[in-house]
């Protein structure tokens, strides 16, 4: 069984993430979408538990996808789960620099684990969780950037929903 993991902060999950997940499904027998608990990113909008609940609801229709959390090194988590690869998405040049370091560090730590990159779909190349939070904080329209459920949860958080 070929297991892949897709780690991230998913605060919140965007249509860009969902696209990467849907395209990864065919590459693995099982894909684990896993929320990092120990992210360095400062201001979080949703708690880890809320992010997991949202992901589980959205990804429920995919039998070969499960949702989990992890802390510590991603490669250690991957080894623990018997994964063959870590999936990441690539948007712009600035992603490349960080991801290059991430992939080479992972390779050094655990040569058995591959890090696989899927290029973003052009229509999601500008979508990031950070941008979504910025737009949401000023009550901007999130249509096309996040799933409907996420848009609704964000509205509830910022108190301008319903
Ligand atoms: P972000 O970088 O938006 O805070 P995450 O840390 O949750 O999001 O990202 C997890 C992975 O998903 C990273 O590899 C990131 O580059 C990728 N990703 C995020 N947004 C997109 C997008 N719009 N298209 C493709 N990949 C993306």
């Amino acid at each position: 069984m070929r297991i892949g993991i897709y780690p991230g902060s998913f605060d919140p999950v965007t249509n860009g993430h969902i696209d990467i997940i849907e395209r990864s499904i065919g590459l693995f027998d099982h894909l684990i979408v896993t929320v990092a608990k120990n992210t360095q990113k400062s201001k979080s909008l949703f708690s880890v538990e809320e992010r997991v609940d949202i992901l589980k609801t959205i990804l429920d229709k995919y039998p070969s996808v499960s949702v989990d959390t992890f802390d510590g090194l991603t490669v250690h988590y991957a080894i623990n789960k018997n994964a063959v690869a870590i999936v990441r998405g690539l948007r712009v040049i600035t992603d490349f620099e960080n991801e290059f370091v991430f992939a080479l560090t992972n390779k050094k730590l655990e040569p058995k684990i591959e890090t696989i990159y899927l290029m973003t779909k052009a229509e999601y190349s500008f979508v990031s969780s950070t941008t979504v939070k910025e737009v949401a904080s000023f009550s901007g329209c999130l249509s096309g950037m996040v799933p409907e459920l996420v848009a609704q949860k964000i509205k509830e958080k910022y108190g301008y929903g319903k």
Side-chain angles (χ1 to χ4, degrees), residues 45-81:
L45 178 60
F46 292 102
S47 69
V48 169
E49 292 70 28
E50 287 172 318
R51 286 179 240 166
V52 167
D53 282 350
I54 292 171
L55 280 164
K56 279 189 173 162
T57 306
I58 292 170
L59 300 173
D60 187 49
K61 58 185 170 194
Y62 301 116
S64 68
V65 177
S66 62
V67 180
D68 195 13
T69 60
F70 76 105
D71 47 22
L73 290 174
T74 312
V75 276
H76 289 167
Y77 176 83
I79 293 277
N80 252 324
K81 294 288 169 186

PDB file of all heavy atoms in Angstrom, residues 45-81:
ATOM      1  N   LEU A  45      -6.172  31.500  12.966  1.00  0.00           N
ATOM      2  CA  LEU A  45      -7.590  31.865  12.972  1.00  0.00           C
ATOM      3  C   LEU A  45      -8.410  30.743  13.590  1.00  0.00           C
ATOM      4  O   LEU A  45      -9.221  30.955  14.470  1.00  0.00           O
ATOM      5  CB  LEU A  45      -8.053  32.150  11.532  1.00  0.00           C
ATOM      6  CG  LEU A  45      -9.530  32.507  11.344  1.00  0.00           C
ATOM      7  CD1 LEU A  45      -9.896  33.768  12.118  1.00  0.00           C
ATOM      8  CD2 LEU A  45      -9.839  32.707   9.857  1.00  0.00           C
ATOM      9  N   PHE A  46      -8.138  29.521  13.129  1.00  0.00           N
ATOM     10  CA  PHE A  46      -8.857  28.355  13.640  1.00  0.00           C
ATOM     11  C   PHE A  46      -7.921  27.506  14.512  1.00  0.00           C
ATOM     12  O   PHE A  46      -6.725  27.403  14.210  1.00  0.00           O
ATOM     13  CB  PHE A  46      -9.366  27.487  12.485  1.00  0.00           C
ATOM     14  CG  PHE A  46     -10.442  28.146  11.669  1.00  0.00           C
ATOM     15  CD1 PHE A  46     -10.142  28.718  10.435  1.00  0.00           C
ATOM     16  CD2 PHE A  46     -11.750  28.216  12.132  1.00  0.00           C
ATOM     17  CE1 PHE A  46     -11.129  29.342   9.683  1.00  0.00           C
ATOM     18  CE2 PHE A  46     -12.741  28.833  11.387  1.00  0.00           C
ATOM     19  CZ  PHE A  46     -12.434  29.409  10.165  1.00  0.00           C
ATOM     20  N   SER A  47      -8.486  26.889  15.557  1.00  0.00           N
ATOM     21  CA  SER A  47      -7.688  25.975  16.377  1.00  0.00           C
ATOM     22  C   SER A  47      -7.388  24.729  15.534  1.00  0.00           C
ATOM     23  O   SER A  47      -8.056  24.479  14.516  1.00  0.00           O
ATOM     24  CB  SER A  47      -8.455  25.570  17.634  1.00  0.00           C
ATOM     25  OG  SER A  47      -9.554  24.753  17.275  1.00  0.00           O
ATOM     26  N   VAL A  48      -6.410  23.956  15.976  1.00  0.00           N
ATOM     27  CA  VAL A  48      -6.066  22.724  15.247  1.00  0.00           C
ATOM     28  C   VAL A  48      -7.304  21.819  15.160  1.00  0.00           C
ATOM     29  O   VAL A  48      -7.594  21.243  14.111  1.00  0.00           O
ATOM     30  CB  VAL A  48      -4.879  22.010  15.940  1.00  0.00           C
ATOM     31  CG1 VAL A  48      -4.675  20.615  15.378  1.00  0.00           C
ATOM     32  CG2 VAL A  48      -3.609  22.839  15.792  1.00  0.00           C
ATOM     33  N   GLU A  49      -8.060  21.740  16.256  1.00  0.00           N
ATOM     34  CA  GLU A  49      -9.256  20.880  16.273  1.00  0.00           C
ATOM     35  C   GLU A  49     -10.286  21.362  15.247  1.00  0.00           C
ATOM     36  O   GLU A  49     -10.898  20.556  14.542  1.00  0.00           O
ATOM     37  CB  GLU A  49      -9.908  20.869  17.672  1.00  0.00           C
ATOM     38  CG  GLU A  49      -9.092  20.195  18.762  1.00  0.00           C
ATOM     39  CD  GLU A  49      -7.840  20.985  19.174  1.00  0.00           C
ATOM     40  OE1 GLU A  49      -7.855  22.243  19.042  1.00  0.00           O
ATOM     41  OE2 GLU A  49      -6.855  20.367  19.612  1.00  0.00           O
ATOM     42  N   GLU A  50     -10.461  22.680  15.167  1.00  0.00           N
ATOM     43  CA  GLU A  50     -11.419  23.224  14.195  1.00  0.00           C
ATOM     44  C   GLU A  50     -10.962  22.925  12.765  1.00  0.00           C
ATOM     45  O   GLU A  50     -11.770  22.569  11.899  1.00  0.00           O
ATOM     46  CB  GLU A  50     -11.564  24.738  14.373  1.00  0.00           C
ATOM     47  CG  GLU A  50     -12.338  25.136  15.619  1.00  0.00           C
ATOM     48  CD  GLU A  50     -12.314  26.642  15.886  1.00  0.00           C
ATOM     49  OE1 GLU A  50     -11.241  27.285  15.734  1.00  0.00           O
ATOM     50  OE2 GLU A  50     -13.361  27.177  16.278  1.00  0.00           O
ATOM     51  N   ARG A  51      -9.660  23.062  12.529  1.00  0.00           N
ATOM     52  CA  ARG A  51      -9.128  22.800  11.178  1.00  0.00           C
ATOM     53  C   ARG A  51      -9.343  21.344  10.791  1.00  0.00           C
ATOM     54  O   ARG A  51      -9.698  21.029   9.649  1.00  0.00           O
ATOM     55  CB  ARG A  51      -7.633  23.132  11.134  1.00  0.00           C
ATOM     56  CG  ARG A  51      -7.368  24.616  11.134  1.00  0.00           C
ATOM     57  CD  ARG A  51      -5.883  24.867  11.123  1.00  0.00           C
ATOM     58  NE  ARG A  51      -5.475  25.612  12.288  1.00  0.00           N
ATOM     59  CZ  ARG A  51      -4.216  25.759  12.689  1.00  0.00           C
ATOM     60  NH1 ARG A  51      -3.242  25.185  12.022  1.00  0.00           N
ATOM     61  NH2 ARG A  51      -3.922  26.465  13.756  1.00  0.00           N
ATOM     62  N   VAL A  52      -9.118  20.449  11.766  1.00  0.00           N
ATOM     63  CA  VAL A  52      -9.314  19.018  11.505  1.00  0.00           C
ATOM     64  C   VAL A  52     -10.784  18.742  11.189  1.00  0.00           C
ATOM     65  O   VAL A  52     -11.101  18.035  10.229  1.00  0.00           O
ATOM     66  CB  VAL A  52      -8.836  18.176  12.718  1.00  0.00           C
ATOM     67  CG1 VAL A  52      -9.318  16.735  12.621  1.00  0.00           C
ATOM     68  CG2 VAL A  52      -7.317  18.230  12.821  1.00  0.00           C
ATOM     69  N   ASP A  53     -11.688  19.330  11.973  1.00  0.00           N
ATOM     70  CA  ASP A  53     -13.127  19.113  11.749  1.00  0.00           C
ATOM     71  C   ASP A  53     -13.538  19.583  10.357  1.00  0.00           C
ATOM     72  O   ASP A  53     -14.290  18.898   9.655  1.00  0.00           O
ATOM     73  CB  ASP A  53     -13.956  19.889  12.787  1.00  0.00           C
ATOM     74  CG  ASP A  53     -13.976  19.168  14.120  1.00  0.00           C
ATOM     75  OD1 ASP A  53     -13.524  18.013  14.166  1.00  0.00           O
ATOM     76  OD2 ASP A  53     -14.428  19.773  15.113  1.00  0.00           O
ATOM     77  N   ILE A  54     -13.043  20.760   9.966  1.00  0.00           N
ATOM     78  CA  ILE A  54     -13.388  21.309   8.643  1.00  0.00           C
ATOM     79  C   ILE A  54     -12.860  20.374   7.552  1.00  0.00           C
ATOM     80  O   ILE A  54     -13.578  20.005   6.618  1.00  0.00           O
ATOM     81  CB  ILE A  54     -12.805  22.738   8.479  1.00  0.00           C
ATOM     82  CG1 ILE A  54     -13.517  23.717   9.416  1.00  0.00           C
ATOM     83  CG2 ILE A  54     -12.903  23.199   7.027  1.00  0.00           C
ATOM     84  CD1 ILE A  54     -12.889  25.106   9.488  1.00  0.00           C
ATOM     85  N   LEU A  55     -11.591  19.969   7.688  1.00  0.00           N
ATOM     86  CA  LEU A  55     -10.990  19.085   6.670  1.00  0.00           C
ATOM     87  C   LEU A  55     -11.759  17.773   6.580  1.00  0.00           C
ATOM     88  O   LEU A  55     -12.031  17.265   5.488  1.00  0.00           O
ATOM     89  CB  LEU A  55      -9.516  18.818   7.007  1.00  0.00           C
ATOM     90  CG  LEU A  55      -8.530  19.924   6.631  1.00  0.00           C
ATOM     91  CD1 LEU A  55      -7.195  19.734   7.345  1.00  0.00           C
ATOM     92  CD2 LEU A  55      -8.298  19.976   5.121  1.00  0.00           C
ATOM     93  N   LYS A  56     -12.122  17.206   7.755  1.00  0.00           N
ATOM     94  CA  LYS A  56     -12.841  15.920   7.756  1.00  0.00           C
ATOM     95  C   LYS A  56     -14.166  16.059   7.035  1.00  0.00           C
ATOM     96  O   LYS A  56     -14.556  15.180   6.253  1.00  0.00           O
ATOM     97  CB  LYS A  56     -13.073  15.441   9.198  1.00  0.00           C
ATOM     98  CG  LYS A  56     -11.853  14.771   9.793  1.00  0.00           C
ATOM     99  CD  LYS A  56     -12.173  14.119  11.123  1.00  0.00           C
ATOM    100  CE  LYS A  56     -10.968  13.309  11.588  1.00  0.00           C
ATOM    101  NZ  LYS A  56     -11.005  13.002  13.019  1.00  0.00           N
ATOM    102  N   THR A  57     -14.868  17.139   7.282  1.00  0.00           N
ATOM    103  CA  THR A  57     -16.175  17.334   6.635  1.00  0.00           C
ATOM    104  C   THR A  57     -16.007  17.461   5.122  1.00  0.00           C
ATOM    105  O   THR A  57     -16.717  16.819   4.344  1.00  0.00           O
ATOM    106  CB  THR A  57     -16.859  18.609   7.195  1.00  0.00           C
ATOM    107  OG1 THR A  57     -16.900  18.504   8.605  1.00  0.00           O
ATOM    108  CG2 THR A  57     -18.251  18.781   6.637  1.00  0.00           C
ATOM    109  N   ILE A  58     -15.040  18.259   4.700  1.00  0.00           N
ATOM    110  CA  ILE A  58     -14.855  18.502   3.261  1.00  0.00           C
ATOM    111  C   ILE A  58     -14.331  17.259   2.542  1.00  0.00           C
ATOM    112  O   ILE A  58     -14.700  16.991   1.395  1.00  0.00           O
ATOM    113  CB  ILE A  58     -13.903  19.695   3.047  1.00  0.00           C
ATOM    114  CG1 ILE A  58     -14.576  20.985   3.511  1.00  0.00           C
ATOM    115  CG2 ILE A  58     -13.458  19.814   1.597  1.00  0.00           C
ATOM    116  CD1 ILE A  58     -13.656  22.183   3.559  1.00  0.00           C
ATOM    117  N   LEU A  59     -13.471  16.495   3.222  1.00  0.00           N
ATOM    118  CA  LEU A  59     -12.803  15.369   2.547  1.00  0.00           C
ATOM    119  C   LEU A  59     -13.505  14.028   2.773  1.00  0.00           C
ATOM    120  O   LEU A  59     -13.029  12.989   2.300  1.00  0.00           O
ATOM    121  CB  LEU A  59     -11.340  15.285   3.007  1.00  0.00           C
ATOM    122  CG  LEU A  59     -10.509  16.544   2.716  1.00  0.00           C
ATOM    123  CD1 LEU A  59      -9.127  16.438   3.348  1.00  0.00           C
ATOM    124  CD2 LEU A  59     -10.389  16.769   1.200  1.00  0.00           C
ATOM    125  N   ASP A  60     -14.632  14.074   3.477  1.00  0.00           N
ATOM    126  CA  ASP A  60     -15.380  12.864   3.804  1.00  0.00           C
ATOM    127  C   ASP A  60     -15.736  12.044   2.551  1.00  0.00           C
ATOM    128  O   ASP A  60     -15.799  10.823   2.584  1.00  0.00           O
ATOM    129  CB  ASP A  60     -16.658  13.284   4.549  1.00  0.00           C
ATOM    130  CG  ASP A  60     -17.409  12.109   5.086  1.00  0.00           C
ATOM    131  OD1 ASP A  60     -16.763  11.262   5.736  1.00  0.00           O
ATOM    132  OD2 ASP A  60     -18.625  11.990   4.819  1.00  0.00           O
ATOM    133  N   LYS A  61     -15.930  12.737   1.425  1.00  0.00           N
ATOM    134  CA  LYS A  61     -16.360  12.037   0.195  1.00  0.00           C
ATOM    135  C   LYS A  61     -15.235  11.240  -0.466  1.00  0.00           C
ATOM    136  O   LYS A  61     -15.482  10.535  -1.435  1.00  0.00           O
ATOM    137  CB  LYS A  61     -16.935  13.053  -0.804  1.00  0.00           C
ATOM    138  CG  LYS A  61     -15.987  14.157  -1.185  1.00  0.00           C
ATOM    139  CD  LYS A  61     -16.680  15.193  -2.073  1.00  0.00           C
ATOM    140  CE  LYS A  61     -15.796  16.411  -2.233  1.00  0.00           C
ATOM    141  NZ  LYS A  61     -16.425  17.568  -2.770  1.00  0.00           N
ATOM    142  N   TYR A  62     -14.001  11.377   0.030  1.00  0.00           N
ATOM    143  CA  TYR A  62     -12.876  10.644  -0.566  1.00  0.00           C
ATOM    144  C   TYR A  62     -12.461   9.499   0.360  1.00  0.00           C
ATOM    145  O   TYR A  62     -11.807   9.728   1.378  1.00  0.00           O
ATOM    146  CB  TYR A  62     -11.684  11.583  -0.788  1.00  0.00           C
ATOM    147  CG  TYR A  62     -12.000  12.746  -1.698  1.00  0.00           C
ATOM    148  CD1 TYR A  62     -11.955  14.056  -1.233  1.00  0.00           C
ATOM    149  CD2 TYR A  62     -12.345  12.535  -3.027  1.00  0.00           C
ATOM    150  CE1 TYR A  62     -12.254  15.122  -2.065  1.00  0.00           C
ATOM    151  CE2 TYR A  62     -12.648  13.596  -3.863  1.00  0.00           C
ATOM    152  CZ  TYR A  62     -12.600  14.885  -3.371  1.00  0.00           C
ATOM    153  OH  TYR A  62     -12.902  15.932  -4.191  1.00  0.00           O
ATOM    154  N   PRO A  63     -12.835   8.248   0.006  1.00  0.00           N
ATOM    155  CA  PRO A  63     -12.570   7.118   0.910  1.00  0.00           C
ATOM    156  C   PRO A  63     -11.088   6.884   1.171  1.00  0.00           C
ATOM    157  O   PRO A  63     -10.727   6.348   2.220  1.00  0.00           O
ATOM    158  CB  PRO A  63     -13.177   5.915   0.187  1.00  0.00           C
ATOM    159  CG  PRO A  63     -13.791   6.394  -1.072  1.00  0.00           C
ATOM    160  CD  PRO A  63     -13.530   7.860  -1.219  1.00  0.00           C
ATOM    161  N   SER A  64     -10.214   7.276   0.241  1.00  0.00           N
ATOM    162  CA  SER A  64      -8.787   6.973   0.443  1.00  0.00           C
ATOM    163  C   SER A  64      -8.036   8.123   1.134  1.00  0.00           C
ATOM    164  O   SER A  64      -6.820   8.107   1.212  1.00  0.00           O
ATOM    165  CB  SER A  64      -8.118   6.650  -0.897  1.00  0.00           C
ATOM    166  OG  SER A  64      -8.071   7.799  -1.708  1.00  0.00           O
ATOM    167  N   VAL A  65      -8.797   9.101   1.645  1.00  0.00           N
ATOM    168  CA  VAL A  65      -8.146  10.230   2.325  1.00  0.00           C
ATOM    169  C   VAL A  65      -8.532  10.231   3.797  1.00  0.00           C
ATOM    170  O   VAL A  65      -9.702  10.048   4.138  1.00  0.00           O
ATOM    171  CB  VAL A  65      -8.587  11.579   1.689  1.00  0.00           C
ATOM    172  CG1 VAL A  65      -7.971  12.761   2.435  1.00  0.00           C
ATOM    173  CG2 VAL A  65      -8.200  11.627   0.213  1.00  0.00           C
ATOM    174  N   SER A  66      -7.539  10.402   4.682  1.00  0.00           N
ATOM    175  CA  SER A  66      -7.855  10.589   6.096  1.00  0.00           C
ATOM    176  C   SER A  66      -7.192  11.866   6.596  1.00  0.00           C
ATOM    177  O   SER A  66      -6.309  12.418   5.943  1.00  0.00           O
ATOM    178  CB  SER A  66      -7.414   9.371   6.916  1.00  0.00           C
ATOM    179  OG  SER A  66      -6.017   9.219   6.814  1.00  0.00           O
ATOM    180  N   VAL A  67      -7.653  12.327   7.746  1.00  0.00           N
ATOM    181  CA  VAL A  67      -7.162  13.585   8.306  1.00  0.00           C
ATOM    182  C   VAL A  67      -6.556  13.304   9.667  1.00  0.00           C
ATOM    183  O   VAL A  67      -7.090  12.520  10.448  1.00  0.00           O
ATOM    184  CB  VAL A  67      -8.319  14.614   8.437  1.00  0.00           C
ATOM    185  CG1 VAL A  67      -7.809  15.928   9.021  1.00  0.00           C
ATOM    186  CG2 VAL A  67      -8.990  14.852   7.086  1.00  0.00           C
ATOM    187  N   ASP A  68      -5.413  13.928   9.942  1.00  0.00           N
ATOM    188  CA  ASP A  68      -4.702  13.658  11.188  1.00  0.00           C
ATOM    189  C   ASP A  68      -4.003  14.943  11.637  1.00  0.00           C
ATOM    190  O   ASP A  68      -4.102  15.979  10.955  1.00  0.00           O
ATOM    191  CB  ASP A  68      -3.676  12.535  10.916  1.00  0.00           C
ATOM    192  CG  ASP A  68      -3.121  11.913  12.185  1.00  0.00           C
ATOM    193  OD1 ASP A  68      -3.672  12.139  13.276  1.00  0.00           O
ATOM    194  OD2 ASP A  68      -2.099  11.188  12.078  1.00  0.00           O
ATOM    195  N   THR A  69      -3.306  14.880  12.757  1.00  0.00           N
ATOM    196  CA  THR A  69      -2.465  16.001  13.202  1.00  0.00           C
ATOM    197  C   THR A  69      -1.088  15.440  13.519  1.00  0.00           C
ATOM    198  O   THR A  69      -0.930  14.220  13.719  1.00  0.00           O
ATOM    199  CB  THR A  69      -3.001  16.647  14.489  1.00  0.00           C
ATOM    200  OG1 THR A  69      -3.026  15.662  15.515  1.00  0.00           O
ATOM    201  CG2 THR A  69      -4.385  17.222  14.292  1.00  0.00           C
ATOM    202  N   PHE A  70      -0.101  16.319  13.562  1.00  0.00           N
ATOM    203  CA  PHE A  70       1.229  15.855  13.971  1.00  0.00           C
ATOM    204  C   PHE A  70       1.999  17.008  14.584  1.00  0.00           C
ATOM    205  O   PHE A  70       1.687  18.172  14.342  1.00  0.00           O
ATOM    206  CB  PHE A  70       1.999  15.262  12.771  1.00  0.00           C
ATOM    207  CG  PHE A  70       2.549  16.298  11.815  1.00  0.00           C
ATOM    208  CD1 PHE A  70       3.907  16.595  11.793  1.00  0.00           C
ATOM    209  CD2 PHE A  70       1.708  16.987  10.962  1.00  0.00           C
ATOM    210  CE1 PHE A  70       4.419  17.549  10.907  1.00  0.00           C
ATOM    211  CE2 PHE A  70       2.201  17.943  10.085  1.00  0.00           C
ATOM    212  CZ  PHE A  70       3.563  18.227  10.054  1.00  0.00           C
ATOM    213  N   ASP A  71       2.982  16.645  15.423  1.00  0.00           N
ATOM    214  CA  ASP A  71       3.976  17.648  15.792  1.00  0.00           C
ATOM    215  C   ASP A  71       5.339  16.990  15.658  1.00  0.00           C
ATOM    216  O   ASP A  71       5.450  15.801  15.402  1.00  0.00           O
ATOM    217  CB  ASP A  71       3.731  18.288  17.164  1.00  0.00           C
ATOM    218  CG  ASP A  71       3.433  17.285  18.232  1.00  0.00           C
ATOM    219  OD1 ASP A  71       3.818  16.111  18.051  1.00  0.00           O
ATOM    220  OD2 ASP A  71       2.818  17.652  19.240  1.00  0.00           O
ATOM    221  N   GLY A  72       6.377  17.789  15.768  1.00  0.00           N
ATOM    222  CA  GLY A  72       7.714  17.252  15.519  1.00  0.00           C
ATOM    223  C   GLY A  72       8.028  17.310  14.038  1.00  0.00           C
ATOM    224  O   GLY A  72       7.339  17.980  13.271  1.00  0.00           O
ATOM    225  N   LEU A  73       9.039  16.561  13.653  1.00  0.00           N
ATOM    226  CA  LEU A  73       9.506  16.628  12.268  1.00  0.00           C
ATOM    227  C   LEU A  73       8.564  15.867  11.323  1.00  0.00           C
ATOM    228  O   LEU A  73       8.128  14.754  11.630  1.00  0.00           O
ATOM    229  CB  LEU A  73      10.913  16.031  12.156  1.00  0.00           C
ATOM    230  CG  LEU A  73      12.040  16.856  12.792  1.00  0.00           C
ATOM    231  CD1 LEU A  73      13.353  16.080  12.751  1.00  0.00           C
ATOM    232  CD2 LEU A  73      12.190  18.193  12.089  1.00  0.00           C
ATOM    233  N   THR A  74       8.329  16.470  10.174  1.00  0.00           N
ATOM    234  CA  THR A  74       7.424  15.859   9.191  1.00  0.00           C
ATOM    235  C   THR A  74       7.944  14.493   8.745  1.00  0.00           C
ATOM    236  O   THR A  74       7.176  13.547   8.602  1.00  0.00           O
ATOM    237  CB  THR A  74       7.284  16.789   7.957  1.00  0.00           C
ATOM    238  OG1 THR A  74       7.037  18.111   8.408  1.00  0.00           O
ATOM    239  CG2 THR A  74       6.162  16.343   7.062  1.00  0.00           C
ATOM    240  N   VAL A  75       9.261  14.384   8.557  1.00  0.00           N
ATOM    241  CA  VAL A  75       9.795  13.091   8.084  1.00  0.00           C
ATOM    242  C   VAL A  75       9.621  11.986   9.126  1.00  0.00           C
ATOM    243  O   VAL A  75       9.410  10.831   8.769  1.00  0.00           O
ATOM    244  CB  VAL A  75      11.294  13.162   7.676  1.00  0.00           C
ATOM    245  CG1 VAL A  75      11.448  13.667   6.262  1.00  0.00           C
ATOM    246  CG2 VAL A  75      12.126  13.928   8.650  1.00  0.00           C
ATOM    247  N   HIS A  76       9.711  12.349  10.391  1.00  0.00           N
ATOM    248  CA  HIS A  76       9.502  11.333  11.438  1.00  0.00           C
ATOM    249  C   HIS A  76       8.053  10.842  11.395  1.00  0.00           C
ATOM    250  O   HIS A  76       7.775   9.653  11.529  1.00  0.00           O
ATOM    251  CB  HIS A  76       9.829  11.900  12.821  1.00  0.00           C
ATOM    252  CG  HIS A  76      11.298  12.122  13.021  1.00  0.00           C
ATOM    253  ND1 HIS A  76      11.811  12.855  14.060  1.00  0.00           N
ATOM    254  CD2 HIS A  76      12.375  11.709  12.291  1.00  0.00           C
ATOM    255  CE1 HIS A  76      13.136  12.887  13.964  1.00  0.00           C
ATOM    256  NE2 HIS A  76      13.495  12.195  12.898  1.00  0.00           N
ATOM    257  N   TYR A  77       7.144  11.789  11.209  1.00  0.00           N
ATOM    258  CA  TYR A  77       5.723  11.434  11.091  1.00  0.00           C
ATOM    259  C   TYR A  77       5.529  10.522   9.872  1.00  0.00           C
ATOM    260  O   TYR A  77       4.840   9.497   9.963  1.00  0.00           O
ATOM    261  CB  TYR A  77       4.871  12.707  10.957  1.00  0.00           C
ATOM    262  CG  TYR A  77       3.415  12.437  10.730  1.00  0.00           C
ATOM    263  CD1 TYR A  77       2.567  12.168  11.802  1.00  0.00           C
ATOM    264  CD2 TYR A  77       2.889  12.423   9.441  1.00  0.00           C
ATOM    265  CE1 TYR A  77       1.222  11.900  11.587  1.00  0.00           C
ATOM    266  CE2 TYR A  77       1.550  12.156   9.217  1.00  0.00           C
ATOM    267  CZ  TYR A  77       0.721  11.897  10.298  1.00  0.00           C
ATOM    268  OH  TYR A  77      -0.604  11.622  10.075  1.00  0.00           O
ATOM    269  N   ALA A  78       6.179  10.884   8.761  1.00  0.00           N
ATOM    270  CA  ALA A  78       6.038  10.099   7.523  1.00  0.00           C
ATOM    271  C   ALA A  78       6.527   8.660   7.737  1.00  0.00           C
ATOM    272  O   ALA A  78       5.862   7.697   7.324  1.00  0.00           O
ATOM    273  CB  ALA A  78       6.810  10.768   6.383  1.00  0.00           C
ATOM    274  N   ILE A  79       7.664   8.512   8.384  1.00  0.00           N
ATOM    275  CA  ILE A  79       8.213   7.173   8.656  1.00  0.00           C
ATOM    276  C   ILE A  79       7.251   6.380   9.537  1.00  0.00           C
ATOM    277  O   ILE A  79       6.947   5.213   9.291  1.00  0.00           O
ATOM    278  CB  ILE A  79       9.600   7.285   9.348  1.00  0.00           C
ATOM    279  CG1 ILE A  79      10.623   7.880   8.391  1.00  0.00           C
ATOM    280  CG2 ILE A  79      10.056   5.954   9.935  1.00  0.00           C
ATOM    281  CD1 ILE A  79      11.254   6.896   7.427  1.00  0.00           C
ATOM    282  N   ASN A  80       6.743   7.054  10.580  1.00  0.00           N
ATOM    283  CA  ASN A  80       5.795   6.422  11.497  1.00  0.00           C
ATOM    284  C   ASN A  80       4.567   5.885  10.803  1.00  0.00           C
ATOM    285  O   ASN A  80       3.986   4.878  11.208  1.00  0.00           O
ATOM    286  CB  ASN A  80       5.302   7.483  12.485  1.00  0.00           C
ATOM    287  CG  ASN A  80       5.872   7.250  13.843  1.00  0.00           C
ATOM    288  OD1 ASN A  80       6.027   6.105  14.238  1.00  0.00           O
ATOM    289  ND2 ASN A  80       6.203   8.324  14.542  1.00  0.00           N
ATOM    290  N   LYS A  81       4.138   6.598   9.765  1.00  0.00           N
ATOM    291  CA  LYS A  81       2.920   6.224   9.044  1.00  0.00           C
ATOM    292  C   LYS A  81       3.227   5.302   7.859  1.00  0.00           C
ATOM    293  O   LYS A  81       2.339   5.012   7.052  1.00  0.00           O
ATOM    294  CB  LYS A  81       2.205   7.480   8.521  1.00  0.00           C
ATOM    295  CG  LYS A  81       1.663   8.369   9.619  1.00  0.00           C
ATOM    296  CD  LYS A  81       0.452   7.702  10.262  1.00  0.00           C
ATOM    297  CE  LYS A  81       0.052   8.428  11.537  1.00  0.00           C
ATOM    298  NZ  LYS A  81      -1.016   7.761  12.268  1.00  0.00           N
TER     299      LYS A  81
END
